[in-house]
């Protein structure tokens, strides 16, 4: 059963790298500004505040669909983490205020 759920869990886990975070932030800002400007222009031309709100809501939902899920384009350059080391391998511990913590 774990073999069936592992791909779903990996897809929903939401891992993105630092460049992916930056790209998602920039993309959300640009898309929200563009959708707000388009909503304003459409509402101004049509002279309809409800249309302005609906176009703005549609732009916000579209932005959310582009930014919130962990799309693979946001995890192209994952960080290479160091392998964990155990304390019994002779690794020097961390000193905090003169006391060895680990």
């Amino acid at each position: 059963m774990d073999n069936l759920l592992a791909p779903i869990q990996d897809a929903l886990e939401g891992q993105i790298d630092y460049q992916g975070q930056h790209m998602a932030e920039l993309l959300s800002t640009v898309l929200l500004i563009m959708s707000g400007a388009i909503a304003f222009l459409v509402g101004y031309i049509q002279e309809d505040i409800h249309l302005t709100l609906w176009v703005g809501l549609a732009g916000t939902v579209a932005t959310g669909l582009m930014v919130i899920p962990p799309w693979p384009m946001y995890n192209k350059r994952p960080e290479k983490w160091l392998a964990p080391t155990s304390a019994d391998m002779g690794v020097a511990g961390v000193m905090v205020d003169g006391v060895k913590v680990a």
Side-chain angles (χ1 to χ4, degrees):
M1 187 67 174
D2 287 338
N3 293 340
L4 296 174
L5 294 177
I8 296 171
Q9 183 181 6
D10 288 342
L12 297 176
E13 199 168 272
Q15 293 184 357
I16 62 175
D17 58 21
Y18 292 116
Q19 287 84 12
Q21 289 177 4
H22 179 70
M23 184 170 49
E25 180 183 356
L26 183 64
L27 187 63
S28 67
T29 302
V30 168
L31 289 175
L32 286 174
I33 289 172
M34 286 176 48
S35 67
I38 291 170
F40 176 77
L41 289 173
V42 167
Y44 185 77
I45 291 169
Q46 295 294 321
E47 296 179 2
D48 187 4
I49 189 69
H50 289 94
L51 185 60
T52 302
L53 294 175
W54 282 111
V55 171
L57 178 64
T60 302
V61 168
T63 300
L65 289 174
M66 291 285 296
V67 175
I68 293 173
W71 298 110
M73 67 181 179
Y74 297 135
N75 198 17
K76 288 183 178 178
R77 294 173 293 278
E79 288 290 321
K80 305 287 189 262
W81 297 98
L82 295 175
T85 58
S86 62
D88 60 352
M89 293 178 61
V91 177
V94 176
M95 299 293 286
V96 177
D97 291 333
V99 177
K100 187 174 181 179
V101 177

